[in-house]
Amino acid sequence: MSERIEVLKTYKTYVGGAFPRSESGHYYKVFDSEGDLLANACMCSRKDVRDAVKAARGAFKSWNSRTAYNKGQILYRIAEMMETRRGQFEEELSKIGFTAEEAKADVNASIDRLIYYAGWTDKYQQVFGSVNPVASSHFNFSLLDATGVVAIMAPENSPLLGLVSVIAPVIAGGNVCVVLASEQYPLPSISFAEVLHSSDVPGGVINILTGKKSDLAEHFASHMDVNAIFYTDKLDNEMAKQIDELASNNVKRVVKKPVEDWYASDAETPYFIMDFQETKTTWHPVGF
Amino acid sequence: MNTIQLPSITPIDHVAVEEKVGRLNKRSIKKESKVLALKMALSMMDLTTLEGKDSEGKVRQLCQKAKQPHPAMPDLPHVAAVCVYPSMVRVAKKALTGSDINVASVATAFPSGMAPLSVRIDDTRFAVDEGADEVDMVISRGAFLQGEYQQVYDEIAAIKEACGKAHLKVILETGELHTYENVRLASDIAMQAGADFIKTSTGKISPAATQPVTLVMLEAIRDYYYATNKMIGMKPAGGIRTAKQALQYLVLVKETLGAAWLTPDYFRFGASSLANDVLMQIVKQQTGSYQSGDYFSLD
């Protein structure tokens, strides 16, 4: 027998439930903590952003109209799938400098976070919706509805837990998303896409791109069909300013929530769901 | 009554047709030329609503859109025509008063054509009397597939007569003709019988317009032009939803028939959702930002 050659995985993007390569044909090198080459990752372009937003928009109506219970089931299913493939994630994390203990803790916390938001899907409406006292003969109530297509720039230094923590609350609330993975550590995001692919998440609900933040932020921010942009890292002032300005063209929600520590108690909160909800208030005449 | 000169149809090389379309689709049209082509596509559009649920309001809304496709950009060209059912011609005509946009009406028991010829002729006369400038008829596909070519020819000629001054577009419904050879033969019959335009589809059958079928029809138009010096128009309809597809069709026309056909007098798109995508691309070229359907009219 000749010596076996390892079969290496090609890391592509995740758009519309499929794994296409970047339209640009460009790649960049991803290194492990020793400085050795791990893989090539797709260097996505503005056209990949366009395609991903299109896929997301196409999936929005159906995802948002699913029952809260069903959305919860699907989030729970992602956690189940992740549990069965934890070895893969632990290995990927250890290659980029996590100790075995840290990698295990990161995967545990990621799975638990999905369960946490799975539980919230049928509760946030009850907690944050309201019946409002008014001084006329109306029954006045406020309901929440999803914002729409959310562009997410995932945390740079928490490639798995941070990624899961920003995606889960967005989709739990009925939104769909286009995610730009950690630029330096993009590989866990694509492995996470494989989990999503086998978790009953409809294609297009979560789309994951890899590439340079400095290239793509402006396209997320300027795209008129993106309804919100979400990031938790501290961006340099120029980029943050550019995002704010471009986002103003269609009055996108720009949600900046700095999170230092993804294990901290405020890193999982239903307020992350609330950041991507629109409140609709109805005045219903009564007493006639 | 004229008898038809059946052309000898040599088998059409499927592979060559599809390869040629594939090759032409690779043409890259960018920047200024793209904007010009998009505006041209807009000016060639037959904005169409052909649904059982069409109401007067819907038709008026469509006519408004025909006159001014995107209010935020008042300089855009208007579309070529509005295409409706005969019962809506009057409404469309009134809504388009003062513009030079044509009213096209489907007639002849659209989309099946399964009514006696006398009924189809009456249907056509009604549409023309109501003010239709253009009539879109369907051929009898059943008769065609049975080989009753003379019948198909006679019917088209009869409808052409009923049209009077109105332009006649003949819908072949290529999705039901199955082969390129049939498409070519039907095109030749329609042109001989007096069609001003030949049109691929009703939009009610899948597949509707495809580029290879369009290419076969364009070549029929070209050969007819060489033989008779008459320019016949072409209208692909159904299934053309994106600006990108529209540009690809324009390339096909340019490469097969030349620039003389690149006017609304000789080339039309039958479409309903295409207009918004073309508008979104024009705005994208102008602003640099990808657009959202939220900012364009629902139709």
Side-chain angles (χ1 to χ4, degrees), chain A residues 53 56-57 60 146-153 166 170-171 174-180 205 207 220 225-231 253 255 275-277:
Chain A
V53 171
R57 175 59 65 194
F60 174 59
T147 297
V149 176
V150 181
I152 303 175
M153 294 199 286
V166 291
V170 167
I171 64 161
N175 299 284
V176 293
C177 60
V178 178
V179 187
L180 178 60
V205 171
N207 304 279
F220 280 149
D225 215 15
V226 171
N227 305 109
I229 183 162
F230 178 27
Y231 59 90
R253 284 184 183 282
V255 179
D275 284 330
F276 305 96
Q277 297 295 311

PDB file of all heavy atoms in Angstrom, chain A residues 53 56-57 60 146-153 166 170-171 174-180 205 207 220 225-231 253 255 275-277:
ATOM      1  N   VAL A  53     -27.627  38.542  -0.964  1.00  0.00           N
ATOM      2  CA  VAL A  53     -28.784  39.338  -0.540  1.00  0.00           C
ATOM      3  C   VAL A  53     -30.026  38.886  -1.305  1.00  0.00           C
ATOM      4  O   VAL A  53     -31.122  38.784  -0.756  1.00  0.00           O
ATOM      5  CB  VAL A  53     -28.531  40.849  -0.745  1.00  0.00           C
ATOM      6  CG1 VAL A  53     -29.809  41.655  -0.512  1.00  0.00           C
ATOM      7  CG2 VAL A  53     -27.441  41.333   0.190  1.00  0.00           C
ATOM      8  N   ALA A  56     -31.200  35.740   0.213  1.00  0.00           N
ATOM      9  CA  ALA A  56     -31.808  36.015   1.508  1.00  0.00           C
ATOM     10  C   ALA A  56     -33.206  36.603   1.325  1.00  0.00           C
ATOM     11  O   ALA A  56     -34.176  36.164   1.958  1.00  0.00           O
ATOM     12  CB  ALA A  56     -30.928  36.979   2.305  1.00  0.00           C
ATOM     13  N   ARG A  57     -33.315  37.572   0.438  1.00  0.00           N
ATOM     14  CA  ARG A  57     -34.624  38.210   0.211  1.00  0.00           C
ATOM     15  C   ARG A  57     -35.649  37.170  -0.231  1.00  0.00           C
ATOM     16  O   ARG A  57     -36.796  37.179   0.201  1.00  0.00           O
ATOM     17  CB  ARG A  57     -34.473  39.320  -0.837  1.00  0.00           C
ATOM     18  CG  ARG A  57     -35.748  39.997  -1.275  1.00  0.00           C
ATOM     19  CD  ARG A  57     -36.510  40.646  -0.124  1.00  0.00           C
ATOM     20  NE  ARG A  57     -35.794  41.743   0.486  1.00  0.00           N
ATOM     21  CZ  ARG A  57     -36.134  42.285   1.658  1.00  0.00           C
ATOM     22  NH1 ARG A  57     -37.181  41.851   2.341  1.00  0.00           N
ATOM     23  NH2 ARG A  57     -35.420  43.264   2.173  1.00  0.00           N
ATOM     24  N   PHE A  60     -36.936  35.187   2.754  1.00  0.00           N
ATOM     25  CA  PHE A  60     -37.450  35.908   3.923  1.00  0.00           C
ATOM     26  C   PHE A  60     -38.925  35.635   4.227  1.00  0.00           C
ATOM     27  O   PHE A  60     -39.296  35.291   5.336  1.00  0.00           O
ATOM     28  CB  PHE A  60     -37.228  37.419   3.744  1.00  0.00           C
ATOM     29  CG  PHE A  60     -37.856  38.255   4.820  1.00  0.00           C
ATOM     30  CD1 PHE A  60     -37.504  38.077   6.155  1.00  0.00           C
ATOM     31  CD2 PHE A  60     -38.826  39.202   4.517  1.00  0.00           C
ATOM     32  CE1 PHE A  60     -38.092  38.840   7.161  1.00  0.00           C
ATOM     33  CE2 PHE A  60     -39.417  39.967   5.508  1.00  0.00           C
ATOM     34  CZ  PHE A  60     -39.051  39.787   6.832  1.00  0.00           C
ATOM     35  N   ALA A 146     -40.349  40.900  12.036  1.00  0.00           N
ATOM     36  CA  ALA A 146     -38.929  40.874  11.675  1.00  0.00           C
ATOM     37  C   ALA A 146     -38.558  42.069  10.800  1.00  0.00           C
ATOM     38  O   ALA A 146     -39.367  42.549  10.008  1.00  0.00           O
ATOM     39  CB  ALA A 146     -38.605  39.585  10.942  1.00  0.00           C
ATOM     40  N   THR A 147     -37.325  42.530  10.936  1.00  0.00           N
ATOM     41  CA  THR A 147     -36.844  43.671  10.152  1.00  0.00           C
ATOM     42  C   THR A 147     -36.634  43.303   8.687  1.00  0.00           C
ATOM     43  O   THR A 147     -36.909  44.092   7.803  1.00  0.00           O
ATOM     44  CB  THR A 147     -35.526  44.196  10.758  1.00  0.00           C
ATOM     45  OG1 THR A 147     -35.813  44.650  12.079  1.00  0.00           O
ATOM     46  CG2 THR A 147     -34.957  45.347   9.952  1.00  0.00           C
ATOM     47  N   GLY A 148     -36.132  42.104   8.417  1.00  0.00           N
ATOM     48  CA  GLY A 148     -35.946  41.682   7.018  1.00  0.00           C
ATOM     49  C   GLY A 148     -34.594  41.051   6.782  1.00  0.00           C
ATOM     50  O   GLY A 148     -34.210  40.107   7.473  1.00  0.00           O
ATOM     51  N   VAL A 149     -33.858  41.614   5.821  1.00  0.00           N
ATOM     52  CA  VAL A 149     -32.532  41.075   5.499  1.00  0.00           C
ATOM     53  C   VAL A 149     -31.504  41.799   6.371  1.00  0.00           C
ATOM     54  O   VAL A 149     -31.408  43.025   6.339  1.00  0.00           O
ATOM     55  CB  VAL A 149     -32.194  41.285   4.010  1.00  0.00           C
ATOM     56  CG1 VAL A 149     -30.775  40.801   3.714  1.00  0.00           C
ATOM     57  CG2 VAL A 149     -33.202  40.576   3.120  1.00  0.00           C
ATOM     58  N   VAL A 150     -30.761  41.042   7.145  1.00  0.00           N
ATOM     59  CA  VAL A 150     -29.772  41.624   8.047  1.00  0.00           C
ATOM     60  C   VAL A 150     -28.363  41.241   7.574  1.00  0.00           C
ATOM     61  O   VAL A 150     -28.081  40.063   7.355  1.00  0.00           O
ATOM     62  CB  VAL A 150     -29.983  41.116   9.494  1.00  0.00           C
ATOM     63  CG1 VAL A 150     -28.954  41.738  10.436  1.00  0.00           C
ATOM     64  CG2 VAL A 150     -31.393  41.420   9.968  1.00  0.00           C
ATOM     65  N   ALA A 151     -27.532  42.237   7.358  1.00  0.00           N
ATOM     66  CA  ALA A 151     -26.127  41.971   7.033  1.00  0.00           C
ATOM     67  C   ALA A 151     -25.357  41.936   8.344  1.00  0.00           C
ATOM     68  O   ALA A 151     -25.473  42.845   9.160  1.00  0.00           O
ATOM     69  CB  ALA A 151     -25.581  43.067   6.127  1.00  0.00           C
ATOM     70  N   ILE A 152     -24.599  40.876   8.552  1.00  0.00           N
ATOM     71  CA  ILE A 152     -23.873  40.717   9.810  1.00  0.00           C
ATOM     72  C   ILE A 152     -22.382  40.652   9.529  1.00  0.00           C
ATOM     73  O   ILE A 152     -21.946  39.879   8.677  1.00  0.00           O
ATOM     74  CB  ILE A 152     -24.293  39.407  10.525  1.00  0.00           C
ATOM     75  CG1 ILE A 152     -25.803  39.383  10.778  1.00  0.00           C
ATOM     76  CG2 ILE A 152     -23.522  39.232  11.823  1.00  0.00           C
ATOM     77  CD1 ILE A 152     -26.298  38.064  11.362  1.00  0.00           C
ATOM     78  N   MET A 153     -21.618  41.477  10.232  1.00  0.00           N
ATOM     79  CA  MET A 153     -20.166  41.319  10.168  1.00  0.00           C
ATOM     80  C   MET A 153     -19.761  40.616  11.456  1.00  0.00           C
ATOM     81  O   MET A 153     -19.792  41.204  12.550  1.00  0.00           O
ATOM     82  CB  MET A 153     -19.497  42.667   9.989  1.00  0.00           C
ATOM     83  CG  MET A 153     -19.864  43.252   8.619  1.00  0.00           C
ATOM     84  SD  MET A 153     -18.767  44.525   8.077  1.00  0.00           S
ATOM     85  CE  MET A 153     -19.284  45.853   9.139  1.00  0.00           C
ATOM     86  N   VAL A 166     -24.136  35.829  16.989  1.00  0.00           N
ATOM     87  CA  VAL A 166     -24.744  36.929  16.226  1.00  0.00           C
ATOM     88  C   VAL A 166     -25.804  36.432  15.240  1.00  0.00           C
ATOM     89  O   VAL A 166     -26.732  37.160  14.906  1.00  0.00           O
ATOM     90  CB  VAL A 166     -23.696  37.808  15.488  1.00  0.00           C
ATOM     91  CG1 VAL A 166     -22.874  38.610  16.490  1.00  0.00           C
ATOM     92  CG2 VAL A 166     -22.799  36.979  14.583  1.00  0.00           C
ATOM     93  N   VAL A 170     -30.775  36.765  15.360  1.00  0.00           N
ATOM     94  CA  VAL A 170     -31.310  37.397  14.149  1.00  0.00           C
ATOM     95  C   VAL A 170     -32.343  36.486  13.493  1.00  0.00           C
ATOM     96  O   VAL A 170     -33.454  36.905  13.169  1.00  0.00           O
ATOM     97  CB  VAL A 170     -30.158  37.754  13.178  1.00  0.00           C
ATOM     98  CG1 VAL A 170     -30.689  38.118  11.808  1.00  0.00           C
ATOM     99  CG2 VAL A 170     -29.336  38.904  13.752  1.00  0.00           C
ATOM    100  N   ILE A 171     -31.988  35.200  13.331  1.00  0.00           N
ATOM    101  CA  ILE A 171     -32.945  34.310  12.665  1.00  0.00           C
ATOM    102  C   ILE A 171     -34.065  33.872  13.602  1.00  0.00           C
ATOM    103  O   ILE A 171     -35.170  33.600  13.152  1.00  0.00           O
ATOM    104  CB  ILE A 171     -32.262  33.092  12.003  1.00  0.00           C
ATOM    105  CG1 ILE A 171     -31.599  32.198  13.035  1.00  0.00           C
ATOM    106  CG2 ILE A 171     -31.279  33.517  10.936  1.00  0.00           C
ATOM    107  CD1 ILE A 171     -31.336  30.796  12.495  1.00  0.00           C
ATOM    108  N   GLY A 174     -37.110  35.771  13.031  1.00  0.00           N
ATOM    109  CA  GLY A 174     -37.777  35.718  11.724  1.00  0.00           C
ATOM    110  C   GLY A 174     -37.040  36.436  10.611  1.00  0.00           C
ATOM    111  O   GLY A 174     -37.534  36.522   9.493  1.00  0.00           O
ATOM    112  N   ASN A 175     -35.856  36.970  10.923  1.00  0.00           N
ATOM    113  CA  ASN A 175     -35.071  37.627   9.880  1.00  0.00           C
ATOM    114  C   ASN A 175     -34.266  36.607   9.090  1.00  0.00           C
ATOM    115  O   ASN A 175     -34.112  35.461   9.505  1.00  0.00           O
ATOM    116  CB  ASN A 175     -34.066  38.605  10.510  1.00  0.00           C
ATOM    117  CG  ASN A 175     -34.743  39.689  11.298  1.00  0.00           C
ATOM    118  OD1 ASN A 175     -35.299  40.624  10.741  1.00  0.00           O
ATOM    119  ND2 ASN A 175     -34.729  39.549  12.630  1.00  0.00           N
ATOM    120  N   VAL A 176     -33.724  37.061   7.972  1.00  0.00           N
ATOM    121  CA  VAL A 176     -32.751  36.268   7.235  1.00  0.00           C
ATOM    122  C   VAL A 176     -31.453  37.066   7.226  1.00  0.00           C
ATOM    123  O   VAL A 176     -31.477  38.277   7.473  1.00  0.00           O
ATOM    124  CB  VAL A 176     -33.229  35.986   5.800  1.00  0.00           C
ATOM    125  CG1 VAL A 176     -34.436  35.078   5.815  1.00  0.00           C
ATOM    126  CG2 VAL A 176     -33.561  37.277   5.069  1.00  0.00           C
ATOM    127  N   CYS A 177     -30.321  36.405   6.965  1.00  0.00           N
ATOM    128  CA  CYS A 177     -29.075  37.156   7.099  1.00  0.00           C
ATOM    129  C   CYS A 177     -28.028  36.790   6.063  1.00  0.00           C
ATOM    130  O   CYS A 177     -28.040  35.707   5.484  1.00  0.00           O
ATOM    131  CB  CYS A 177     -28.502  36.986   8.507  1.00  0.00           C
ATOM    132  SG  CYS A 177     -28.141  35.295   8.957  1.00  0.00           S
ATOM    133  N   VAL A 178     -27.152  37.748   5.828  1.00  0.00           N
ATOM    134  CA  VAL A 178     -25.940  37.541   5.030  1.00  0.00           C
ATOM    135  C   VAL A 178     -24.794  37.854   5.976  1.00  0.00           C
ATOM    136  O   VAL A 178     -24.710  38.959   6.511  1.00  0.00           O
ATOM    137  CB  VAL A 178     -25.890  38.488   3.823  1.00  0.00           C
ATOM    138  CG1 VAL A 178     -24.603  38.288   3.048  1.00  0.00           C
ATOM    139  CG2 VAL A 178     -27.095  38.268   2.924  1.00  0.00           C
ATOM    140  N   VAL A 179     -23.938  36.868   6.209  1.00  0.00           N
ATOM    141  CA  VAL A 179     -22.907  37.000   7.229  1.00  0.00           C
ATOM    142  C   VAL A 179     -21.538  37.067   6.572  1.00  0.00           C
ATOM    143  O   VAL A 179     -21.229  36.254   5.695  1.00  0.00           O
ATOM    144  CB  VAL A 179     -22.934  35.770   8.169  1.00  0.00           C
ATOM    145  CG1 VAL A 179     -21.976  35.979   9.326  1.00  0.00           C
ATOM    146  CG2 VAL A 179     -24.343  35.501   8.666  1.00  0.00           C
ATOM    147  N   LEU A 180     -20.759  38.021   6.996  1.00  0.00           N
ATOM    148  CA  LEU A 180     -19.355  38.022   6.607  1.00  0.00           C
ATOM    149  C   LEU A 180     -18.575  37.431   7.777  1.00  0.00           C
ATOM    150  O   LEU A 180     -18.568  37.990   8.880  1.00  0.00           O
ATOM    151  CB  LEU A 180     -18.868  39.441   6.301  1.00  0.00           C
ATOM    152  CG  LEU A 180     -17.376  39.536   5.934  1.00  0.00           C
ATOM    153  CD1 LEU A 180     -17.053  38.718   4.701  1.00  0.00           C
ATOM    154  CD2 LEU A 180     -16.966  40.989   5.732  1.00  0.00           C
ATOM    155  N   VAL A 205     -31.823  31.394   4.183  1.00  0.00           N
ATOM    156  CA  VAL A 205     -32.100  32.049   5.474  1.00  0.00           C
ATOM    157  C   VAL A 205     -30.798  32.540   6.095  1.00  0.00           C
ATOM    158  O   VAL A 205     -30.721  33.647   6.623  1.00  0.00           O
ATOM    159  CB  VAL A 205     -32.855  31.087   6.419  1.00  0.00           C
ATOM    160  CG1 VAL A 205     -32.942  31.668   7.822  1.00  0.00           C
ATOM    161  CG2 VAL A 205     -34.245  30.795   5.871  1.00  0.00           C
ATOM    162  N   ASN A 207     -26.800  33.031   4.977  1.00  0.00           N
ATOM    163  CA  ASN A 207     -25.819  32.980   3.888  1.00  0.00           C
ATOM    164  C   ASN A 207     -24.491  33.427   4.467  1.00  0.00           C
ATOM    165  O   ASN A 207     -24.441  34.422   5.194  1.00  0.00           O
ATOM    166  CB  ASN A 207     -26.236  33.903   2.750  1.00  0.00           C
ATOM    167  CG  ASN A 207     -27.630  33.555   2.255  1.00  0.00           C
ATOM    168  OD1 ASN A 207     -27.821  32.638   1.473  1.00  0.00           O
ATOM    169  ND2 ASN A 207     -28.639  34.275   2.750  1.00  0.00           N
ATOM    170  N   PHE A 220     -22.405  46.042   1.879  1.00  0.00           N
ATOM    171  CA  PHE A 220     -23.478  45.730   2.833  1.00  0.00           C
ATOM    172  C   PHE A 220     -24.250  47.000   3.167  1.00  0.00           C
ATOM    173  O   PHE A 220     -25.469  47.029   3.213  1.00  0.00           O
ATOM    174  CB  PHE A 220     -22.894  45.168   4.138  1.00  0.00           C
ATOM    175  CG  PHE A 220     -22.518  43.714   4.086  1.00  0.00           C
ATOM    176  CD1 PHE A 220     -21.471  43.229   4.854  1.00  0.00           C
ATOM    177  CD2 PHE A 220     -23.224  42.827   3.279  1.00  0.00           C
ATOM    178  CE1 PHE A 220     -21.125  41.884   4.823  1.00  0.00           C
ATOM    179  CE2 PHE A 220     -22.880  41.470   3.243  1.00  0.00           C
ATOM    180  CZ  PHE A 220     -21.827  41.011   4.018  1.00  0.00           C
ATOM    181  N   ASP A 225     -31.497  46.753  -0.504  1.00  0.00           N
ATOM    182  CA  ASP A 225     -32.373  45.661  -0.096  1.00  0.00           C
ATOM    183  C   ASP A 225     -31.917  45.027   1.220  1.00  0.00           C
ATOM    184  O   ASP A 225     -32.439  44.000   1.625  1.00  0.00           O
ATOM    185  CB  ASP A 225     -32.453  44.605  -1.204  1.00  0.00           C
ATOM    186  CG  ASP A 225     -33.831  43.960  -1.280  1.00  0.00           C
ATOM    187  OD1 ASP A 225     -34.782  44.518  -0.691  1.00  0.00           O
ATOM    188  OD2 ASP A 225     -33.950  42.897  -1.922  1.00  0.00           O
ATOM    189  N   VAL A 226     -30.923  45.627   1.847  1.00  0.00           N
ATOM    190  CA  VAL A 226     -30.512  45.176   3.185  1.00  0.00           C
ATOM    191  C   VAL A 226     -31.184  46.110   4.182  1.00  0.00           C
ATOM    192  O   VAL A 226     -31.110  47.322   4.050  1.00  0.00           O
ATOM    193  CB  VAL A 226     -28.972  45.228   3.328  1.00  0.00           C
ATOM    194  CG1 VAL A 226     -28.554  44.986   4.768  1.00  0.00           C
ATOM    195  CG2 VAL A 226     -28.324  44.223   2.399  1.00  0.00           C
ATOM    196  N   ASN A 227     -31.860  45.532   5.167  1.00  0.00           N
ATOM    197  CA  ASN A 227     -32.648  46.362   6.076  1.00  0.00           C
ATOM    198  C   ASN A 227     -31.927  46.701   7.379  1.00  0.00           C
ATOM    199  O   ASN A 227     -32.353  47.603   8.108  1.00  0.00           O
ATOM    200  CB  ASN A 227     -33.977  45.683   6.404  1.00  0.00           C
ATOM    201  CG  ASN A 227     -34.758  45.343   5.147  1.00  0.00           C
ATOM    202  OD1 ASN A 227     -34.899  44.188   4.777  1.00  0.00           O
ATOM    203  ND2 ASN A 227     -35.230  46.368   4.446  1.00  0.00           N
ATOM    204  N   ALA A 228     -30.892  45.941   7.701  1.00  0.00           N
ATOM    205  CA  ALA A 228     -30.155  46.239   8.928  1.00  0.00           C
ATOM    206  C   ALA A 228     -28.730  45.746   8.770  1.00  0.00           C
ATOM    207  O   ALA A 228     -28.459  44.814   8.006  1.00  0.00           O
ATOM    208  CB  ALA A 228     -30.803  45.564  10.128  1.00  0.00           C
ATOM    209  N   ILE A 229     -27.819  46.391   9.476  1.00  0.00           N
ATOM    210  CA  ILE A 229     -26.431  45.930   9.470  1.00  0.00           C
ATOM    211  C   ILE A 229     -25.991  45.823  10.932  1.00  0.00           C
ATOM    212  O   ILE A 229     -26.299  46.682  11.751  1.00  0.00           O
ATOM    213  CB  ILE A 229     -25.545  46.852   8.604  1.00  0.00           C
ATOM    214  CG1 ILE A 229     -24.113  46.342   8.538  1.00  0.00           C
ATOM    215  CG2 ILE A 229     -25.583  48.286   9.047  1.00  0.00           C
ATOM    216  CD1 ILE A 229     -23.314  46.950   7.382  1.00  0.00           C
ATOM    217  N   PHE A 230     -25.319  44.733  11.239  1.00  0.00           N
ATOM    218  CA  PHE A 230     -25.064  44.364  12.635  1.00  0.00           C
ATOM    219  C   PHE A 230     -23.586  44.030  12.792  1.00  0.00           C
ATOM    220  O   PHE A 230     -23.061  43.209  12.037  1.00  0.00           O
ATOM    221  CB  PHE A 230     -25.936  43.136  12.953  1.00  0.00           C
ATOM    222  CG  PHE A 230     -25.785  42.568  14.343  1.00  0.00           C
ATOM    223  CD1 PHE A 230     -25.385  43.346  15.422  1.00  0.00           C
ATOM    224  CD2 PHE A 230     -26.096  41.227  14.568  1.00  0.00           C
ATOM    225  CE1 PHE A 230     -25.277  42.799  16.702  1.00  0.00           C
ATOM    226  CE2 PHE A 230     -25.985  40.674  15.837  1.00  0.00           C
ATOM    227  CZ  PHE A 230     -25.572  41.453  16.893  1.00  0.00           C
ATOM    228  N   TYR A 231     -22.923  44.691  13.732  1.00  0.00           N
ATOM    229  CA  TYR A 231     -21.559  44.267  14.055  1.00  0.00           C
ATOM    230  C   TYR A 231     -21.275  44.494  15.523  1.00  0.00           C
ATOM    231  O   TYR A 231     -21.892  45.340  16.165  1.00  0.00           O
ATOM    232  CB  TYR A 231     -20.523  44.939  13.158  1.00  0.00           C
ATOM    233  CG  TYR A 231     -20.498  46.457  13.192  1.00  0.00           C
ATOM    234  CD1 TYR A 231     -19.678  47.138  14.101  1.00  0.00           C
ATOM    235  CD2 TYR A 231     -21.251  47.217  12.295  1.00  0.00           C
ATOM    236  CE1 TYR A 231     -19.626  48.524  14.123  1.00  0.00           C
ATOM    237  CE2 TYR A 231     -21.206  48.606  12.306  1.00  0.00           C
ATOM    238  CZ  TYR A 231     -20.395  49.246  13.220  1.00  0.00           C
ATOM    239  OH  TYR A 231     -20.342  50.617  13.247  1.00  0.00           O
ATOM    240  N   ARG A 253     -31.274  49.920   9.773  1.00  0.00           N
ATOM    241  CA  ARG A 253     -30.876  49.893  11.177  1.00  0.00           C
ATOM    242  C   ARG A 253     -29.393  49.565  11.236  1.00  0.00           C
ATOM    243  O   ARG A 253     -28.952  48.593  10.635  1.00  0.00           O
ATOM    244  CB  ARG A 253     -31.612  48.782  11.926  1.00  0.00           C
ATOM    245  CG  ARG A 253     -33.026  49.130  12.225  1.00  0.00           C
ATOM    246  CD  ARG A 253     -33.667  48.041  13.056  1.00  0.00           C
ATOM    247  NE  ARG A 253     -35.066  48.400  13.252  1.00  0.00           N
ATOM    248  CZ  ARG A 253     -35.476  49.308  14.125  1.00  0.00           C
ATOM    249  NH1 ARG A 253     -34.601  49.910  14.928  1.00  0.00           N
ATOM    250  NH2 ARG A 253     -36.740  49.614  14.226  1.00  0.00           N
ATOM    251  N   VAL A 255     -26.862  48.376  13.838  1.00  0.00           N
ATOM    252  CA  VAL A 255     -26.824  47.878  15.219  1.00  0.00           C
ATOM    253  C   VAL A 255     -25.372  47.582  15.571  1.00  0.00           C
ATOM    254  O   VAL A 255     -24.765  46.670  15.018  1.00  0.00           O
ATOM    255  CB  VAL A 255     -27.694  46.615  15.363  1.00  0.00           C
ATOM    256  CG1 VAL A 255     -27.632  46.110  16.791  1.00  0.00           C
ATOM    257  CG2 VAL A 255     -29.127  46.914  14.937  1.00  0.00           C
ATOM    258  N   ASP A 275     -33.347  43.832  18.767  1.00  0.00           N
ATOM    259  CA  ASP A 275     -32.663  44.798  17.909  1.00  0.00           C
ATOM    260  C   ASP A 275     -33.088  44.679  16.443  1.00  0.00           C
ATOM    261  O   ASP A 275     -32.856  45.589  15.661  1.00  0.00           O
ATOM    262  CB  ASP A 275     -31.146  44.596  18.000  1.00  0.00           C
ATOM    263  CG  ASP A 275     -30.587  45.144  19.303  1.00  0.00           C
ATOM    264  OD1 ASP A 275     -31.168  46.109  19.827  1.00  0.00           O
ATOM    265  OD2 ASP A 275     -29.583  44.598  19.797  1.00  0.00           O
ATOM    266  N   PHE A 276     -33.673  43.528  16.091  1.00  0.00           N
ATOM    267  CA  PHE A 276     -34.059  43.314  14.692  1.00  0.00           C
ATOM    268  C   PHE A 276     -35.549  43.038  14.578  1.00  0.00           C
ATOM    269  O   PHE A 276     -35.986  42.141  13.862  1.00  0.00           O
ATOM    270  CB  PHE A 276     -33.204  42.184  14.096  1.00  0.00           C
ATOM    271  CG  PHE A 276     -31.750  42.469  14.258  1.00  0.00           C
ATOM    272  CD1 PHE A 276     -31.031  41.933  15.318  1.00  0.00           C
ATOM    273  CD2 PHE A 276     -31.107  43.338  13.388  1.00  0.00           C
ATOM    274  CE1 PHE A 276     -29.697  42.250  15.494  1.00  0.00           C
ATOM    275  CE2 PHE A 276     -29.775  43.658  13.567  1.00  0.00           C
ATOM    276  CZ  PHE A 276     -29.057  43.117  14.621  1.00  0.00           C
ATOM    277  N   GLN A 277     -36.319  43.790  15.350  1.00  0.00           N
ATOM    278  CA  GLN A 277     -37.774  43.687  15.298  1.00  0.00           C
ATOM    279  C   GLN A 277     -38.361  45.070  15.056  1.00  0.00           C
ATOM    280  O   GLN A 277     -37.829  46.068  15.540  1.00  0.00           O
ATOM    281  CB  GLN A 277     -38.332  43.134  16.630  1.00  0.00           C
ATOM    282  CG  GLN A 277     -37.870  41.726  16.961  1.00  0.00           C
ATOM    283  CD  GLN A 277     -38.394  40.699  15.971  1.00  0.00           C
ATOM    284  OE1 GLN A 277     -39.571  40.676  15.669  1.00  0.00           O
ATOM    285  NE2 GLN A 277     -37.500  39.869  15.455  1.00  0.00           N
TER     286      GLN A 277
END
